[in-house]
Amino acid sequence: MSDFAWGLIGPGGIAHRFADAVQRLPQAHLAAVLGRQPASAAAFAARWQVSGKPAPRVADSLSALLGAGRIDAVYIATPHSAHGDWVRACLLAGVPVLCEKPLVPHGALGRELVALAQQRQVFLMEALWTRFLPVYELIGQWLAEGAIGRLQTIQSSFCFPADAGPESRLFNPALAGGALLDIGIYNLSMSRWAVAAATGQASDPLDLAVDGVLAATGVDARVTATLRFPGAIQAQFVCGFDGAAENSLALFGSQGSILVPQHFWEGTRAVLTRAGQAPEVHDRPFALNGFEYEVAEAMRCIRAGLTESPQMPLAETLATLACMDEFRGRLGVRYPFE
């Protein structure tokens, strides 16, 4: 099997974790890097040049990224507001895409790009890496087999005090800032995942309630939400840039509970407590840094000729976007490009 060549657009912070995973995976390598600042892209490429693999090229345009040498797929890690333009350009070029979460800032653009991917028969996947982690594979098995009885309540938190200015990607509305899209998407997506794992099917909430605190820039600094799903399942979460929290995920059932303590979005430990029994602690460490699982899934799907991942289907991405649109609408958060 030939080596899988990745192109990367947006060599920022999260892209380093992606590059680290790709450069340590067998039969994969980072082939080319494109960024707004050529010097930053060059420094990124130099940082991730590793022995035994081709040196990553630095490209000054998408055509240069795709044209000079074979590229099997592109990973996009720009600020949220730029995702759509890059995804569209790659799809029109016939190049498979793995795009950081959220796929795009709002549902209308998401529906447009999913339709384009399906029309062109080009692979597209939202890079929500948490869904692919080994600890959630284990938790999914527990939920499916009824280890905690009937799932009743999901509670999660993802909060940290952000030391960033109004022009940062966290708070700038022109960059689709706000806690919901940046971190709350993990709470929402994993709540939806747990409902599907427990019931055997993906479900939209029957109703929802949301409250929040807006930053001076008009984006959401904190969001608290409650969603009611079929089967009398409730999900509650808080996400925010203005304080701290446990940052855990807890699943409560009629006969027990499951806890992913601390940093649930990159969890490696799950605690299963069955009614009347001592807690069972199960560790599922990463093979590399955690990103390897979503990368491997994307490569598997692309090599198999699939246009989407069964583990992260496009319908789920659109459903999550629709829910976040509803939250933002109720909070009064609107981006200037909508």
Side-chain angles (χ1 to χ4, degrees), residues 166-179:
E167 295 303 313
S168 74
R169 68 173 187 83
L170 298 183
F171 292 109
N172 189 341
L175 298 179

Side-chain angles (χ1 to χ4, degrees), residues 105-119:
H106 58 86
L109 182 54
R111 292 188 296 272
E112 174 194 333
L113 294 178
V114 166
L116 179 62
Q118 293 172 339
Q119 175 192 356

Side-chain angles (χ1 to χ4, degrees), residues 16-305:
H16 284 281
R17 195 162 187 166
F18 172 85
D20 177 46
V22 166
Q23 294 295 66
R24 288 200 279 161
L25 279 171
Q27 298 182 329
H29 69 276
L30 179 61
V33 179
L34 171 61
R36 287 180 299 171
Q37 303 296 329
S40 297
F44 187 97
R47 166 67 180 83
W48 292 110
Q49 182 173 346
V50 299
S51 176
K53 297 194 176 187
R57 294 181 290 105
V58 179
D60 60 4
S61 66
L62 182 62
S63 60
L65 182 81
L66 302 178
R70 180 180 59 86
I71 294 292
D72 293 302
V74 169
Y75 168 73
I76 297 170
T78 62
H80 304 155
S81 56
H83 285 184
D85 289 342
W86 288 116
V87 170
R88 182 186 295 106
C90 290
L91 294 177
L92 289 172
V95 179
V97 175
L98 174 65
C99 182
E100 259 309 319
K101 56 77 195 164
L103 179 68
V104 288
H106 58 86
L109 182 54
R111 292 188 296 272
E112 174 194 333
L113 294 178
V114 166
L116 179 62
Q118 293 172 339
Q119 175 192 356
R120 296 279 177 143
Q121 290 293 286
V122 179
F123 178 83
L124 175 62
M125 186 178 106
E126 182 180 30
L128 211 153
W129 66 302
T130 311
R131 282 179 171 249
F132 301 91
L133 298 181
V135 75
Y136 285 104
E137 181 179 6
L138 176 62
I139 292 170
Q141 294 171 2
W142 289 339
L143 292 172
E145 70 188 22
I148 61 170
R150 183 176 58 82
L151 179 63
Q152 296 176 331
T153 305
I154 305 162
Q155 294 181 336
S156 65
S157 57
F158 191 165
C159 301
F160 64 91
D163 182 17
E167 295 303 313
S168 74
R169 68 173 187 83
L170 298 183
F171 292 109
N172 189 341
L175 298 179
L180 181 63
L181 266 64
D182 197 64
I183 56 179
I185 188 172
Y186 289 110
N187 303 85
L188 177 58
S189 184
M190 295 315 293
S191 295
R192 291 181 56 90
W193 171 86
V195 172
T199 64
Q201 62 181 12
S203 300
D204 292 324
L206 300 173
D207 56 55
L208 54 85
V210 64
D211 200 355
V213 175
L214 301 188
T217 58
V219 303
D220 46 296
R222 188 193 327 146
V223 176
T224 58
T226 300
L227 304 93
R228 184 170 64 88
F229 289 94
I233 303 173
Q234 273 200 338
Q236 304 165 332
F237 72 82
V238 58
C239 63
F241 294 146
D242 62 348
E246 286 186 346
N247 294 344
S248 61
L249 171 71
L251 309 172
F252 302 109
S254 58
Q255 299 296 322
S257 64
I258 299 168
L259 174 67
V260 182
Q262 298 180 329
H263 295 192
F264 75 88
W265 59 93
E266 55 182 359
T268 58
R269 169 171 290 185
V271 181
L272 171 64
T273 304
R274 306 175 197 261
Q277 299 183 29
E280 305 171 18
V281 178
H282 298 258
D283 290 312
R284 293 293 185 273
F286 304 148
L288 300 175
N289 67 13
F291 268 37
E292 64 271 23
Y293 305 104
E294 66 174 2
V295 173
E297 170 66 3
M299 293 194 302
R300 182 192 71 81
C301 291
I302 293 165
R303 283 171 168 158

